Amino acid sequence: MPTVPRLNGPTVRATPEPSRLGTPESYAPVNPRVLGTIGQALGQVEQVVERETQRMDEVRVNEALAQYGTELDGLLLDPNKGFLNQRGTRAVEGLDPFRDGVSMARKNAGGSLSTERQRMLFEAQADRLARQADSRALGHTSTEIARTRDETFEALVKRNLAMIADNPMGAEAVSETLAATRQLVATHGDAVGWSPAKMQQVDAELRSQARIGQVAGMLANNDEAGAAALLARVQNEILPDKRAEVQRLVERETIDVRAQKARDELLTRFDNVDDALAAVTKEQEGQMEDRTRQYVEQAFADRENRTKRQVQENRDLAIQAIN
């Protein structure tokens, strides 16, 4: 039986329990091999995670490509609406709607992808599928056009000319469409009564439109230097009535970009518009001076307006705080 301490008895003092954690001296040092094994295991885990991520990306991309391929098959092969089942003038008139359908199917299929890597993988394969579908459509139209009147054939050529000029499918697709259309002209032009001179004229226009589209595409991607270099190399392939216009476009875009860069550099050097404009007069000339001056004046005006708005906002906040 336990003894109960009395008030007049001996003092009862609690005895502390020994520490369960131990002292620092009680811990043995960790073997470096163990640490290395742990690090290796963590690295293997990361590799597994990366492989699984890549696998899931491929699964999602393959699903999107399968959807895209199915929709393309429908656009081409549907018994009632499929493009390859259209005959005569419908094969020409349906070419633009078919291409619109290809673009929409691509957008629908890629819309479910959630990462940049998935979209990049999808777009690379989708380009190939789109070109194949367009090539089949053009081939079918080529076959049908042999049985139609001259006006229908010319309508097809004009549509392809417009598509090459607009360049909506990228440089590679434009090149393929150009080649297919030139082959179409060479193969069927004589059959519909086009003279050799007429076919040469159309071929020259096709090459001209393709070059203009390539230059315009580079300008749209802010590659002014590349556009200028390409134009210098292929300007003789552009029809004379279009050549000067394209040259002016490249020159204007190049001057604009240079003027914007000059403006940005001047804004870092000067705090007021008068000094910046004086530097423009001293350092620039001709169209470059005019464009740089416009950009500098606009930049300082925007800066002044922002300062005024900030001052007014601070004033309003101060009034609100007082009230």
Side-chain angles (χ1 to χ4, degrees):
M1 173 180 294
T3 301
V4 179
R6 295 187 301 272
L7 291 178
N8 57 355
T11 301
V12 178
R13 177 176 298 174
T15 301
E17 295 184 4
S19 172
R20 297 176 181 173
L21 298 178
T23 63
E25 293 78 8
S26 65
Y27 291 101
V30 179
N31 191 324
R33 293 182 179 179
V34 175
L35 292 177
T37 302
I38 294 173
Q40 184 179 8
L42 291 175
Q44 291 174 348
V45 170
E46 291 178 356
Q47 292 176 4
V48 170
V49 171
E50 177 64 21
R51 286 197 299 269
E52 182 63 16
T53 300
Q54 293 179 0
R55 188 187 70 81
M56 291 304 299
D57 284 346
E58 291 173 359
V59 169
R60 296 291 301 278
V61 169
N62 288 336
E63 290 174 349
L65 288 171
Q67 176 185 338
Y68 187 37
T70 300
E71 293 194 37
L72 289 180
D73 285 344
L75 290 169
L76 286 167
L77 303 174
D78 182 90
N80 297 319
K81 298 181 180 180
F83 186 78
L84 298 186
N85 292 316
Q86 305 307 307
R87 296 289 179 263
T89 57
R90 291 196 303 274
V92 176
E93 295 170 353
L95 186 57
D96 286 343
F98 168 76
R99 285 169 170 162
D100 291 340
V102 170
S103 298
M104 182 58 66
R106 182 171 180 166
K107 182 178 180 180
N108 292 339
S112 62
L113 301 177
S114 58
T115 69
E116 187 63 29
R117 182 176 184 275
Q118 290 174 5
R119 288 187 287 269
M120 181 181 66
L121 293 173
F122 172 80
E123 290 298 330
Q125 296 298 319
D127 276 340
R128 178 179 58 81
L129 294 176
R131 292 196 301 271
Q132 290 176 349
D134 199 71
S135 178
R136 294 181 69 183
L138 284 172
H140 173 68
T141 306
S142 175
T143 300
E144 289 300 305
I145 212 67
R147 304 186 295 105
T148 60
R149 298 178 297 118
D150 176 82
E151 299 85 60
T152 304
F153 174 71
E154 191 164 358
L156 170 64
V157 174
K158 287 181 178 179
R159 276 180 168 79
N160 282 352
L161 277 170
M163 194 208 78
I164 292 171
D166 292 339
N167 193 15
M169 299 172 62
E172 187 175 353
V174 165
S175 297
E176 292 185 4
T177 301
L178 170 64
T181 308
R182 293 180 69 185
Q183 182 62 40
L184 184 67
V185 171
T187 303
H188 299 293
D190 182 65
V192 296
W194 281 11
S195 67
K198 172 70 171 179
M199 288 190 284
Q200 289 178 1
Q201 174 191 346
V202 173
D203 187 74
E205 187 173 355
L206 283 165
R207 286 187 287 110
S208 177
Q209 290 282 35
R211 294 306 191 186
I212 292 173
Q214 289 174 328
V215 171
M218 287 185 171
L219 292 176
N221 290 323
N222 298 320
D223 185 7
E224 292 77 14
L230 175 63
L231 180 59
R233 193 166 63 250
V234 304
Q235 59 181 339
N236 290 334
E237 297 183 41
I238 299 177
L239 296 177
D241 61 330
K242 299 288 187 181
R243 191 180 305 154
E245 178 183 346
V246 177
Q247 288 172 336
R248 286 194 297 270
L249 175 63
V250 171
E251 182 180 356
R252 185 171 64 249
E253 290 291 329
T254 302
I255 289 176
D256 275 351
V257 171
R258 289 169 52 203
Q260 291 173 23
K261 291 180 179 178
R263 172 206 59 194
D264 295 341
E265 191 269 338
L266 288 167
L267 290 176
T268 64
R269 290 165 52 193
F270 301 103
D271 294 327
N272 65 81
V273 65
D274 293 332
D275 291 342
L277 292 177
V280 172
T281 302
K282 181 179 180 181
E283 299 170 4
Q284 309 290 350
E285 60 182 12
Q287 294 183 8
M288 183 66 179
E289 178 183 353
D290 294 338
R291 293 300 292 157
T292 305
R293 181 176 295 273
Q294 292 175 9
Y295 282 128
V296 168
E297 289 175 342
Q298 184 62 52
F300 275 98
D302 292 342
R303 179 184 291 180
E304 183 178 356
N305 289 334
R306 287 195 300 270
T307 301
K308 288 180 179 179
R309 286 197 301 270
Q310 187 63 53
V311 169
Q312 185 61 47
E313 290 174 1
N314 291 340
R315 184 178 301 166
D316 293 341
L317 289 174
I319 294 174
Q320 293 176 4
I322 294 173
N323 294 335

